[in-house]
Amino acid sequence: MDIETEHTDSGRRRFLKGLAAAGAAALPVSTGAAAPERKKQYGMLLDTRRCVGCQACAVSCRSENDVPLGHERSWVEQIDKGSYPNTTVKFLPRLCNQCSEPQCVSVCPTGATYKREQDGIVVVDNDICIGCKYCIQACPYDARFLNPKTGVADKCDFCADRLAQGRQPACIQTCFFRARIFGDLNDPDSEIARLIATNPVTVLRAEMGTMPNVFYIAAEHMGEADARHYDQHIRVTTYRSTRERR
Amino acid sequence: MKDGASGAKARVTLPRRGFLGACAAVGAGAALGVRSLGGGTAAAMPQPQDAGVSVIPSTCNMCVNRCGIVCYVKNGVLEKIDGDPRNPLSGGGLCAKGQAGVMQLYDPDRIKYPMIRTGKRGEGKWRRASWDEAFDYTADHLARIVKKHGPQALLWSSSTELSEAFFVKLGKYIGTPNFARHATLCLASRNVGYFATLGGVPGSDLANARYILMFGANRLESFETPDNITLVEGLARGARLVVVDPRMTVTAAKGQWLPIRPRTDMALTLALMHVLIKHDLYDKTFVRNATVGFPALKAHVGKYNPEWAAKETGIPAATIVSMAHEMAAAAPAVVIYPGRRSSWYTNDTQFRRTLGMLTGLLGAIDARGASNFGAGAVTLGDIEWEIEPLDVAERVDGFNEKNFPLAAHEDGGYVHLRDTLLQGKGKYPVKGWMVYKQNPLAAMLDSSKTLKLMEQMDFIGVIDIQPSQTAWMADIILPETTYLERLDPIWAPPARRKFIGIRQPVVAPQFESKPLLDIIKGLAAKLDKRHHFETPLSKAFNFTIEQYVDAQLKALPIDRKTLMKEGIWLAPPETAEFGRYRRGEKKFSTPSGKIEFVAERFQRNGYPPLPVYEPPKEEPGKQRLVTGRPAWYTHSSNQNNPWLNALQPENDIWIHPDVAHAKGIRDGEVVRVRSAAGEVRIKALVTPRIRKDTVYMAHGFGSRSTGQTTVKGRGGADETLMVSQADTITNNQALHETFVEILKV
Amino acid sequence: MHELNWGLPVVAYLFLAGLGAGALTVSASVLLRGGPTSTHFDVARYGALIAPIPVALGCGLLVFELGSFQVGHWFRWLNLYKVINLSPMSVGTWLLTFFIGVSALYGYTFLSRDAAPGDKYDGLRRKIAWLGVPLGIGVAVYTGVLLGAMPARPFWNSPILAMLFLLSAISTGVAAILLTHAIMHRKNEDAEVERRYRESGYLLTASDTLLIGLELGTIFLFLMYAHLTIGNVKAAVSVILSGGALASLFWFWVVLLGLVIPALIELYLIVPRLIYYREFVVHRSFEIVVPAAVLVGGFMLRYVVVIAGQITHPVGL
């Protein structure tokens, strides 16, 4: 991704940032302190009640960001549950959670990936990244991949280029059903902040301590492993041509 | 860091209410965001930010919805398609197919230049030809047939498209009557059933409905903008949705799923009417003022009680009764959804009638949250066409007023046509087949019959953008440009907020593809040299596409150049008016001017004036095959698109777990599926989302065309399995009348 | 199927780096402990000569498998040196670089055939050896820390992995020295040479027995932890337990062939001397086969661990 940023280039600054970020991640005890105050923290809300799993967002993302086939920056999973005739199908759009405690950032050995000061988007500097794939291993949400064309780590960056042009991220704009909402979590008047404030929301893998900035209304958190426990048919389809659910 | 504000917001952000307990917004679409019906804004078109990037508005063509799009082009390369936020129907959204339009343009398998067959038909051996040779070749063959057998010996088939008129007109000027269009592949039954009952097919105010009853009509996978959008809005506002379908589609998952026994839908509708009448739940005032035939209806449905219907449909009687009560309580804000594809059973026309009748009984029409007429379209002009030949033979198959009084004769009845020709019962020989933007070998059920029909043809010519199954069997393929490379006639759909949209080239035509009008003109010139047509064909097509579009826009306050820049022109808004039909100010387009429970048009033509239920046949040990589609595929047209194919590389057959278990079939295993028409091999998807007596295959796979390299060899073709059947009134093909045996390999 | 981001090059690197680190640690410790009449100078020498090569080779493999290298950015990996942060990989990069330099220099001091205690390089050697011990341990441990840093990889995410890798690194270092020593040794008439050879053999074999014992203990604790806990770790470790995809690989190649059998043989060999103060005698075939088995087991340990971590994942969503 080509990133415009206030983040300066000095190695020392990166060192200190890395120290701080890594230090925070390396602390054995969760401090429970709030993430540092940012001017803006972009976030996303997925209202799965409205999502019909049409994959428009996934294809829009692929188109906008030149995501090679075999990989995804953004994808929509389908969860079939139940026994005839009491069945449901639900959809779970997934992408990078732009965490406030990003585990990918704390493992990056070159400082290529970092969380932007001005809006909280976690980005990868394509010129610095060496493609060691440590961040890909570290992400608890399987949101990263090694881009075979660029040779570096790749993931959703909330369409930072489109944002810089005053446009919505590709996935947001293309959704007929307004199942995806995007905005500044730190702005209490924004649509996303108000929806999060007035609806029960969840995040994925809250126990990972990542403080994700992607939220869900009515998400189906169950997976196939749960079928054994609850004696129900559960099928998860990831619509990722090379990956199972993780 | 750049400040990104450009003044052009991608969409209007409006206060969004909580999901439940939302009170209805005032005014049709006023409080909704841009995405809803009637919400087209007058905001300026998105402007380019990067130097060297052009932003060009156009109209999508990855399916019939034709959503508004905005294309981002850099150095002559299309980089991204966004939805156009100003479009009143699609509101800035664009589905997976629309997004994958980039790959339709850049599909490595697309037809790049005219291709003439060298081997046997279907062998896939082609040689490249120049357009001049291609036009000569095609004109030679067509003229030869015309000279020997007359112009009527040409079968001229095409499906709906903005430029289709040019192709159809060429056929008319050549003088053939034998057109075969989209109607009987799809929705003829619905149209006729509704035409006879309500006078036409109404729109559905799903966003404001309180109760929505849908039979099939899988709107949340089979998009029909704006209904897919307004359905979700209606659900968000607390509408009750009931979906009647042998399988649980995504649409059914968002509401209450009634897994009805296939082909018993009419039992349910008749029983609902029975309950509404018996318990006095129907809209008495409306029925008195705006319908005819109520006493006959009441007598007719007397015996169709819920207990009887429960036995037929498998839906409990109590459910049927409570449905009727809920509908009545919600009336008039009830949508009895007409659906679109009515190619299920041989009695679909009559079934669709019952939907219209139910609408009338509830008074669920001409009101907010109900069915409504009145969404008109902007009136376009036309060029001055030359006069068409007066003396044209009658259709080869007798598909006319006499034999199929209520069918759409102009469009042809595909199954009847094929049967007639295969049985040698045609009034004269038909020896040539020109196809445009249609894939009959995949689209028609019982494909072995279509193959046989092709054998009868001395010449098959196909105009297409990709090597479809039909194109693969042709003698010549003429490559049209994709929708992203051509100027087309104006798009002027019916909509609450009337508008017109442009479709224009966003990149130059790739390879040697040509827009349809240029192909038609090329053919016309060559044909004129070989045969004297009553109207010289070149004279008939003596205009450019620009002139054609100018003629269409003549009466409108916008010209072509401005429209190409803006992309869209919105007519002045009209406030929705309800009640004019209810008050008798407007008449329904039926002979009586009212909603007809007893269809006078049916009665007059010897069809049962009130729908009579026939129990479906069963075949023990077999399952009924139904078909449909996911949200990322359109019929058989884009399974080869690499971005879409990645989502679902092949189809499978849905089998209920008990059925699979009894046969020893495991999930993912390849099975044999056998019917009276053929056999396919396909993977099994063992799922509880379908009845035990039903199996489902998505359409569009099992292609014989090896030119489609992404999808070749994948999946199974439902059309190979389907036994040839059609609706008795409209000849709409009936795709769900086939029973199959599932066998282990 | 799960994508394997880190494959054979990484597995090989972990094995080679561990082996080299172990060799340096052993060599340096033995040298410092040895004093002026080092019985075990040969051990130190072999260890020193062995240490830099596998580590450098392993690092070469790491650079080779970098995404940027694979698409033609040959020198992008130098970006690693523009930064030092608390990422285990950053720390490891600097450690490894330092290791290669130090161990190369250390090895150089032993290069000559006439290298002996008290020769002209002796002082330098000992100075470097002081650095070599913590450096070797550091390189051996950091790989386990690197893998263990990620909650997203529950199989790896425990400190016990670092312990296991450390023990295995030293053990494979010992085995490499044993193997090389055995291969290079020719029966010498000089009884003193033979005595030193047997003494060194005993020291290494006894150390290795202890190390393997500790490894087995660590593995036992690892499995116990997984058994007694819930959730992600429990589910992840099931991949090497009965029915798991890597179970046979783990129990046969890593545990049986790589640990238990060598340990039993080594125990059998050292008990006469250890308990009964008899002579330590080893048949030559054992001298070759046992360390070879340890090395194979060490490689397979890395293999199983690296694969297991990537084909398992957190359970809930």
Side-chain angles (χ1 to χ4, degrees), chain B residues 439-445 447 450 469-470 636 699-700 704 718-719:
Chain B
N439 191 8
L441 187 52
M444 284 212 74
L445 77 185
S447 51
T450 315
Q469 286 203 62
T470 304
S636 63
H699 179 65
R704 292 176 184 79
D718 53 307
E719 69 271 11

Side-chain angles (χ1 to χ4, degrees), chain A residues 47-51 60 63 78 80 82 84 87 89 162 164-167 173-175 177-178 191 235 239, chain B residues 4 16 19 35 49 72 80 82-83 92-94 99 228 232-233 236 248 253-254 647 667 686 688-689:
Chain A
D47 187 347
T48 69
R49 300 168 304 186
R50 298 176 76 100
C51 177
S60 180
S63 176
Q78 172 182 326
D80 293 34
Y84 176 89
T87 51
V89 62
R162 284 176 69 118
Q165 296 173 1
R167 293 158 67 193
Q173 166 151 24
T174 211
C175 179
F177 309 101
R178 300 182 62 185
E191 188 188 7
R235 177 197 301 269
Y239 292 100
Chain B
R16 217 180 108 129
F19 185 75
R35 301 276 169 80
Q49 302 283 331
Y72 290 78
K80 178 72 168 67
D82 274 1
L94 191 65
Q99 287 294 339
N228 47 317
V232 170
E233 289 303 326
M248 191 192 74
K254 294 287 189 196
L647 297 169
D667 185 52
V686 178
R689 286 173 59 182

Side-chain angles (χ1 to χ4, degrees), chain C:
Chain C
M1 101 261 16
H2 288 295
E3 206 175 84
L4 286 179
N5 282 294
W6 288 341
L8 274 178
V10 172
V11 172
Y13 152 75
L14 290 172
F15 170 70
L16 292 168
L19 190 160
L24 181 68
T25 308
V26 167
S27 166
S29 320
V30 157
L31 182 76
L32 290 172
R33 278 282 282 130
T37 57
S38 173
T39 310
H40 304 298
F41 187 81
D42 276 352
V43 168
R45 181 160 181 265
Y46 279 116
L49 292 173
I50 288 168
I53 300 162
V55 176
L57 186 62
C59 289
L61 282 173
L62 279 189
V63 171
F64 171 76
E65 76 93 49
L66 287 177
S68 59
F69 191 89
Q70 293 281 321
V71 299
H73 297 298
W74 313 122
F75 300 107
R76 183 73 78 82
W77 55 278
L78 292 171
N79 285 346
L80 287 165
Y81 297 107
K82 296 185 183 167
V83 163
I84 181 165
N85 59 36
L86 282 180
S87 156
M89 197 179 281
S90 179
V91 172
T93 304
W94 289 101
L95 260 178
L96 278 170
T97 311
F98 202 38
F99 181 100
I100 292 172
V102 167
S103 67
L105 182 62
Y106 182 67
Y108 177 75
T109 64
F110 285 89
L111 202 54
S112 161
R113 272 180 177 282
D114 303 321
D119 69 5
K120 63 170 171 172
Y121 285 123
D122 193 75
L124 180 61
R125 250 183 236 137
R126 285 171 194 280
K127 285 198 188 69
I128 298 175
W130 276 106
L131 207 51
V133 173
L135 200 53
I137 291 174
V139 167
V141 160
Y142 106 88
T143 54
V145 170
L146 187 145
L147 293 180
M150 300 176 279
R153 296 285 181 266
F155 189 92
W156 294 338
N157 189 226
S158 78
I160 232 167
L161 202 68
M163 191 69 205
L164 189 57
F165 272 30
L166 171 64
L167 294 168
S168 175
I170 302 182
S171 168
T172 50
V174 167
I177 295 172
L178 264 172
L179 185 63
T180 322
H181 207 191
I183 289 172
M184 303 298 279
H185 179 76
R186 297 283 170 269
K187 204 141 174 81
N188 201 308
E189 276 127 28
D190 187 341
E192 178 57 22
V193 170
E194 281 299 312
R195 185 195 68 87
R196 283 215 301 275
Y197 176 71
R198 279 203 307 279
E199 278 300 308
S200 301
Y202 175 74
L203 171 70
L204 292 172
T205 307
S207 310
D208 198 42
T209 317
L210 175 63
L211 287 166
I212 292 177
L214 290 171
E215 278 187 78
L216 286 167
T218 308
I219 290 174
F220 171 76
L221 286 175
F222 180 58
L223 295 173
M224 247 319 100
Y225 165 54
H227 175 66
L228 296 171
T229 191
I230 54 158
N232 295 343
V233 175
K234 191 181 195 72
V237 175
S238 68
V239 79
I240 55 169
L241 297 176
S242 167
L246 297 169
S248 0
L249 270 180
F250 177 71
W251 289 103
F252 178 78
W253 291 96
V254 180
V255 177
L256 192 65
L257 189 79
L259 295 172
V260 170
I261 291 178
L264 287 175
I265 297 175
E266 285 175 339
L267 200 59
Y268 169 76
L269 291 172
I270 65 170
V271 153
R273 161 91 187 250
L274 184 71
I275 310 288
Y276 302 111
Y277 297 97
R278 290 212 284 275
E279 237 192 306
F280 174 69
V281 174
V282 182
H283 194 275
R284 188 176 166 79
S285 58
F286 278 151
E287 286 180 327
I288 307 257
V289 165
V290 171
V294 170
L295 288 172
V296 168
F299 180 85
M300 290 310 295
L301 171 68
R302 304 305 190 290
Y303 180 85
V304 168
V305 166
V306 169
I307 306 298
Q310 293 176 91
I311 65 172
T312 56
H313 55 87
V315 285
L317 185 71

Side-chain angles (χ1 to χ4, degrees), chain B residues 419-440:
Chain B
D419 285 343
T420 306
L421 292 176
L422 286 178
Q423 290 160 23
K425 294 200 178 127
K427 296 189 196 297
Y428 44 78
V430 170
K431 287 297 180 184
W433 193 354
M434 275 304 288
V435 184
Y436 168 64
K437 206 248 173 189
Q438 197 183 75
N439 191 8

Side-chain angles (χ1 to χ4, degrees), chain A residues 6-237:
Chain A
E6 294 167 355
H7 181 100
T8 67
D9 251 4
S10 80
R12 179 167 175 274
R13 188 184 160 109
R14 254 192 252 121
F15 165 71
L16 290 172
K17 277 180 110 42
L19 202 59
L27 282 175
V29 170
S30 165
T31 60
E37 263 315 305
R38 288 179 190 282
K39 288 204 287 270
K40 222 186 240 181
Q41 171 62 62
Y42 278 134
M44 206 178 278
L45 174 66
L46 287 329
D47 187 347
T48 69
R49 300 168 304 186
R50 298 176 76 100
C51 177
V52 301
C54 72
Q55 307 285 340
C57 48
V59 181
S60 180
C61 174
R62 182 181 297 289
S63 176
E64 176 69 38
N65 297 296
D66 292 323
V67 181
L69 284 173
H71 302 283
E72 296 80 25
R73 282 192 178 193
S74 177
W75 68 101
V76 182
E77 298 181 345
Q78 172 182 326
I79 303 104
D80 293 34
K81 263 180 27 175
S83 310
Y84 176 89
N86 302 310
T87 51
T88 67
V89 62
K90 293 254 358 201
F91 299 97
L92 196 69
R94 291 182 61 178
L95 69 173
C96 168
N97 288 276
Q98 313 289 350
C99 305
S100 286
E101 300 282 339
Q103 290 176 0
C104 53
V105 170
S106 48
V107 300
C108 179
T110 57
T113 194
Y114 56 93
K115 191 169 172 74
R116 299 210 302 200
E117 286 289 344
Q118 67 270 31
D119 54 19
I121 300 179
V122 178
V123 298
V124 178
D125 189 327
N126 277 12
D127 295 322
I128 298 177
C129 176
I130 62 173
C132 73
K133 304 181 274 291
Y134 203 4
C135 60
I136 297 168
Q137 302 282 12
C139 175
Y141 303 106
D142 204 23
R144 284 173 171 258
F145 63 95
L146 188 79
N147 188 317
K149 288 223 283 282
T150 59
V152 299
D154 203 325
K155 69 174 195 69
C156 164
D157 66 346
F158 275 176
C159 283
D161 291 345
R162 284 176 69 118
L163 293 175
Q165 296 173 1
R167 293 158 67 193
Q168 296 272 6
C171 59
I172 302 290
Q173 166 151 24
T174 211
C175 179
F176 279 134
F177 309 101
R178 300 182 62 185
R180 303 179 80 113
I181 299 102
F182 178 83
D184 180 10
L185 297 171
N186 285 352
D187 174 8
D189 290 325
S190 67
E191 188 188 7
I192 189 174
R194 278 187 287 108
L195 284 169
I196 290 172
T198 56
N199 282 281
V201 296
T202 57
V203 296
L204 300 182
R205 296 197 168 123
E207 74 280 4
M208 285 282 159
T210 48
M211 306 273 283
N213 288 298
V214 169
F215 299 86
Y216 293 84
I217 295 177
E220 176 57 73
H221 288 272
M222 276 198 174
E224 290 180 0
D226 299 298
R228 286 193 288 280
H229 297 142
Y230 298 102
D231 195 28
Q232 278 187 319
H233 163 97
I234 299 184
R235 177 197 301 269
V236 174
T237 313

Side-chain angles (χ1 to χ4, degrees), chain B residues 33-106:
Chain B
V34 182
R35 301 276 169 80
S36 76
L37 181 60
T41 70
M45 207 189 71
Q47 290 306 312
Q49 302 283 331
D50 285 343
V53 174
S54 316
V55 183
I56 304 169
S58 189
T59 301
C60 185
N61 201 29
M62 295 298 280
C63 83
V64 294
N65 284 308
R66 303 198 182 87
C67 299
I69 57 176
V70 172
C71 299
Y72 290 78
V73 179
K74 186 167 182 177
N75 298 327
V77 175
L78 174 61
E79 297 199 320
K80 178 72 168 67
I81 305 174
D82 274 1
D84 186 343
R86 303 160 305 150
N87 188 292
L89 292 177
S90 57
L94 191 65
C95 76
K97 309 181 285 291
Q99 287 294 339
V102 176
M103 284 314 289
Q104 182 178 94
L105 178 63
Y106 297 126

